[in-house]
């Protein structure tokens, strides 16, 4: 699916286009990249040339576009900045063409070196988000199984009960079997 937008002051209303692969919004008044969440896994080509994008940070949402291979922002005020291309290259994953020019591997490596600290922080946040999403999915799956077995809430029952016990902080200080504690020394542990 390909879409062309004209006289469009803001990107919105794309939530229905989950299979959108190409989007052209040229010569408009756009100042930032937004509203592309629905097609983050399918958008391959994005052309937003000759708009009013002024700040490098406007390209941060490109990081979510995992399928993006071709991007055109030529004619925006930000393109005159020295760090424009390196910044965009660190905000995209596998970009092949930027502003109708082939992206060379050396340029990507140089950009990654230039923004190494910022990129490491960004990648760490992305990893945290992936882990949180995975844990939420696992919890949801466990809850679904528990609900099916009519045992919803049983998994957290022990923690809930102990957290309300006024003696719980004291119990936590007791040496455990893992620590080789005196209370369990010599006892069979199952």
């Amino acid at each position: 699916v390909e879409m062309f937008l004209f006289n469009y002051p803001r990107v919105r209303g794309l939530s229905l286009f989950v299979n959108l692969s190409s989007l052209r919004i040229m010569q408009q008044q756009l100042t930032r990249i937004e509203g592309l969440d629905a097609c983050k896994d399918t958008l391959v080509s994005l052309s937003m040339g000759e708009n009013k994008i002024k700040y490098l940070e406007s390209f941060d949402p490109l990081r979510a576009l995992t399928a993006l291979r071709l991007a055109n922002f030529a004619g925006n005020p930000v393109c005159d900045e020295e760090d424009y291309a390196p910044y965009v290259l660190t905000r995209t994953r596998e970009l092949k063409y930027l502003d109708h020019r082939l992206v060379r591997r050396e340029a990507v490596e140089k950009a990654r070196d230039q923004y190494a600290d910022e990129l490491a922080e960004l990648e760490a946040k992305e990893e945290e988000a992936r882990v949180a999403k995975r844990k939420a999915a696992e919890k949801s799956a466990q809850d679904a199984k528990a609900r099916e077995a009519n045992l919803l809430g049983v998994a957290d029952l022990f923690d809930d009960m102990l957290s309300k016990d006024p003696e719980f902080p004291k119990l936590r200080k007791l040496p455990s079997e893992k620590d080789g504690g005196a209370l369990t020394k010599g006892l069979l542990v199952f």
Side-chain angles (χ1 to χ4, degrees):
V1 175
E2 188 168 343
M3 179 178 244
F4 300 90
L5 298 175
F6 298 100
N7 296 325
Y8 217 70
R10 192 170 187 196
V11 178
R12 58 182 172 194
L14 296 179
S15 59
L16 298 174
F17 300 98
V18 294
N19 293 322
L20 188 66
S21 63
S22 180
L23 178 63
R24 291 185 57 185
I25 310 173
M26 307 288 288
Q27 300 174 339
Q28 303 300 310
Q29 302 298 313
L30 297 175
T31 58
R32 60 182 178 250
I33 299 168
E34 62 184 353
L36 302 175
D37 296 337
C39 50
K40 65 182 173 81
D41 296 325
T42 59
L43 193 65
V44 176
S45 173
L46 177 63
S47 290
M48 295 180 75
E50 300 178 35
N51 277 287
K52 305 291 182 196
I53 300 172
K54 297 179 185 176
Y55 305 106
L56 290 174
E57 295 77 23
S58 301
F59 297 110
D60 289 351
L62 295 178
R63 192 87 180 147
L65 303 177
T66 58
L68 191 65
R69 299 296 178 264
L70 182 145
N72 175 33
F73 302 105
N76 282 287
V78 72
C79 296
D80 296 332
E81 288 194 32
E82 185 179 328
D83 291 339
Y84 157 70
Y87 194 89
V88 172
L89 292 177
T90 60
R91 295 312 185 260
T92 55
R93 297 176 190 277
E94 296 291 330
L95 198 65
K96 302 295 180 199
Y97 293 92
L98 176 60
D99 298 338
H100 306 292
R101 289 186 226 128
L102 182 66
V103 172
R104 303 215 182 276
R105 179 72 32 244
E106 303 84 41
V108 173
E109 289 171 5
K110 185 177 177 184
R112 288 184 68 81
D113 287 345
Q114 181 178 345
Y115 287 97
D117 293 340
E118 200 174 308
L119 199 53
E121 186 178 316
L122 186 61
E123 288 171 348
K125 286 180 183 177
E126 289 172 346
E127 182 60 27
E128 285 176 17
R130 275 192 294 274
V131 167
K133 187 176 180 179
R134 189 186 78 242
K135 285 182 179 181
E138 288 171 359
K139 174 122 177 68
S140 178
Q142 286 176 337
D143 287 350
K145 284 181 182 179
R147 190 177 303 109
E148 190 176 304
N150 202 21
L151 296 172
L152 191 60
V154 173
D156 300 327
L157 185 62
F158 186 70
D159 292 335
D160 290 344
M161 286 176 18
L162 285 180
S163 67
K164 294 174 186 169
D165 184 346
E167 300 296 316
F168 183 60
K170 294 177 187 174
L171 292 172
R172 293 191 85 177
K173 293 179 182 176
L174 288 175
S176 70
E177 157 268 324
K178 293 178 190 173
D179 303 328
L183 294 177
T184 58
K185 200 170 208 160
L187 297 175
L188 290 174
V189 180
F190 297 98

